[in-house]
Amino acid sequence: MVIYLTLVGLLSVCSLSFSQECNQELLENEDFPGTDIIFLYSPDAEHCQQLCTQHPSCLFFTFVRADWTRDNRHFYCYLKSTSSGQPNLRTPLLGVTSGFSLKPCTQDPLPCLSQVYQNVDFPGADYRALFTADYEECQRTCTQDPACQFFTFVNEVFTPEKIRYKCHLKFSWAIPRTPIVERKAGVVSGFSHKTQITSNFDTACQGKLFPSTDIPGNNIQMLPAASPEHCQALCSAHPRCTYFTYDSNAFSCHLKNNPNEMVTKAKEGGTSGLPARFCQLDNSWVKVAHEGVDFRGSDIRYELMDDADTCQRTCTEDPNCQFYTYANESFFDRNYWRRCYLKRVITMPAPPKITKLVNVVSGFSQKNCAAAI
């Protein structure tokens, strides 16, 4: 939850996205200069538009295409916002495409990314590599692998010859991740009850947790998490996570990788555990309301509510909301009493970098496509 007055204006900007008209038009060679929130990498303007749609405060964007010639900023997706909800300036500029968030539109929360990109590399985020006959088989492999979100395939004329036909499977987070979790009196936080944390599997399973236990070392990533069960879901989603340790004092989830051994030691305030593979974890932890815990940031808007239960139901009913924080009347600043902050983060596949590279093909998993193989 945002408690600093300097950020209150940003919340009102986020609310504008729900009153704007749906505008799906892409404007080639038109720039919306300035008012940047962040830049991310995108392979095309349509992907950039989906990133803007899923970002909590993005209202419009400018994408730098592959034919841009002024410098090397190819595939840059600039997410933007203003208090008016409209660009401050519109100028002609060769090599860019601009457009608007699809938040006001009725859109698929899990977009199908069917385009394949010739001579484009998605470097980084690899967790597995194998050899396949062609990029179509590489894409099918990515689609069938629960962890794979995108891929890069090296074709038959690539140099050096020894890595021809290599298929690189790549991972990005496709589940909501709370950006900041911290203690704060007078607030209640929780998740949408429709939040999909793990892939759907037919087989149900119980996760293995080790209370008052630490597994030191072998860290690959630290993420904020609200509970040991939340941490376990994050570990289960990451293809390289072999086990984890959750620190309840710091709300920190330490994902670890060592397939050869697991050394434990006693530690109060720590909970360690193992991920679940190819089975459906119990997700009852999603329905837990966390008293005195703030999920700070990522607000899409706030509304005044009578209680935390109403806030939770509102988040669950809103397809854009993934988690929430509610300020009750014991919060220290009465200006924030009864505010229900609805929140979300980007969960669509997003390569950490995109570059030009001849004789490779890149693309996305087809899990969200109706005709996925």
Side-chain angles (χ1 to χ4, degrees), residues 292-308:
V293 176
D294 185 14
F295 293 170
R296 181 157 61 88
S298 299
D299 305 305
I300 50 178
R301 71 182 190 278
Y302 74 82
E303 299 178 14
L304 295 179
M305 309 262 171
D306 288 335
D307 51 54

Side-chain angles (χ1 to χ4, degrees), residues 34-168:
T35 68
D36 298 349
I37 302 169
I38 192 175
F39 97 84
L40 302 170
Y41 285 96
S42 280
D44 57 28
E46 289 80 8
H47 182 272
C48 182
Q49 186 172 47
Q50 291 290 346
L51 288 178
C52 180
T53 300
Q54 290 199 356
H55 189 279
S57 54
C58 180
L59 298 179
F60 47 90
F61 66 91
T62 293
F63 172 71
V64 183
R65 302 192 306 262
D67 60 326
W68 169 263
T69 58
R70 292 194 179 187
D71 52 39
N72 292 325
R73 286 180 299 159
H74 304 116
F75 309 112
Y76 277 38
C77 172
Y78 290 94
L79 306 186
K80 302 167 179 279
S81 184
T82 59
S83 58
S84 69
Q86 295 295 320
N88 290 336
L89 293 172
R90 299 183 181 214
T91 60
L93 185 62
L94 289 175
V96 305
T97 299
S98 296
F100 295 86
S101 164
L102 301 178
K103 290 182 182 74
C105 311
T106 301
Q107 80 273 359
D108 188 344
L110 299 173
C112 169
L113 305 174
S114 58
Q115 184 67 35
V116 173
Y117 306 92
Q118 300 283 343
N119 302 315
V120 173
D121 184 21
F122 293 169
D126 297 50
Y127 68 92
R128 183 185 172 201
L130 65 160
F131 291 94
T132 60
D134 47 39
Y135 78 80
E136 290 94 344
E137 185 177 346
C138 183
Q139 187 172 48
R140 283 196 297 273
T141 303
C142 180
T143 300
Q144 293 298 325
D145 190 315
C148 186
Q149 297 299 319
F150 46 94
F151 68 91
T152 293
F153 174 77
V154 179
N155 71 17
E156 69 279 3
V157 294
F158 187 84
T159 302
E161 184 177 352
K162 64 183 179 181
I163 61 169
R164 291 175 181 173
Y165 299 101
K166 200 168 188 179
C167 169
H168 297 267

Side-chain angles (χ1 to χ4, degrees), residues 138-268:
C138 183
Q139 187 172 48
R140 283 196 297 273
T141 303
C142 180
T143 300
Q144 293 298 325
D145 190 315
C148 186
Q149 297 299 319
F150 46 94
F151 68 91
T152 293
F153 174 77
V154 179
N155 71 17
E156 69 279 3
V157 294
F158 187 84
T159 302
E161 184 177 352
K162 64 183 179 181
I163 61 169
R164 291 175 181 173
Y165 299 101
K166 200 168 188 179
C167 169
H168 297 267
L169 304 184
K170 299 165 182 281
F171 170 78
S172 69
W173 290 102
I175 62 177
R177 290 165 297 134
T178 49
I180 299 173
V181 181
E182 60 189 14
R183 296 193 190 282
K184 188 171 280 126
V187 301
V188 180
S189 297
F191 297 88
S192 165
H193 289 188
K194 294 180 180 177
T195 295
Q196 184 64 40
I197 296 292
T198 56
S199 301
N200 284 315
F201 294 102
D202 294 333
T203 303
C205 59
Q206 291 292 324
K208 186 64 175 176
L209 296 177
F210 308 113
S212 302
T213 302
D214 180 26
I215 306 176
N218 302 304
N219 295 302
I220 56 173
Q221 190 170 2
M222 191 280 285
L223 297 167
S227 65
E229 293 80 8
H230 184 195
C231 185
Q232 184 176 47
L234 293 169
C235 181
S236 300
H238 197 295
R240 295 186 59 235
C241 184
T242 53
Y243 42 78
F244 66 90
T245 294
Y246 177 72
D247 184 342
S248 60
N249 296 315
F251 297 105
S252 57
C253 174
H254 300 266
L255 306 186
K256 299 166 181 282
N257 174 264
N258 186 340
N260 299 313
E261 63 179 18
M262 182 177 68
V263 179
T264 65
K265 71 174 187 178
K267 182 180 180 181
E268 287 303 314

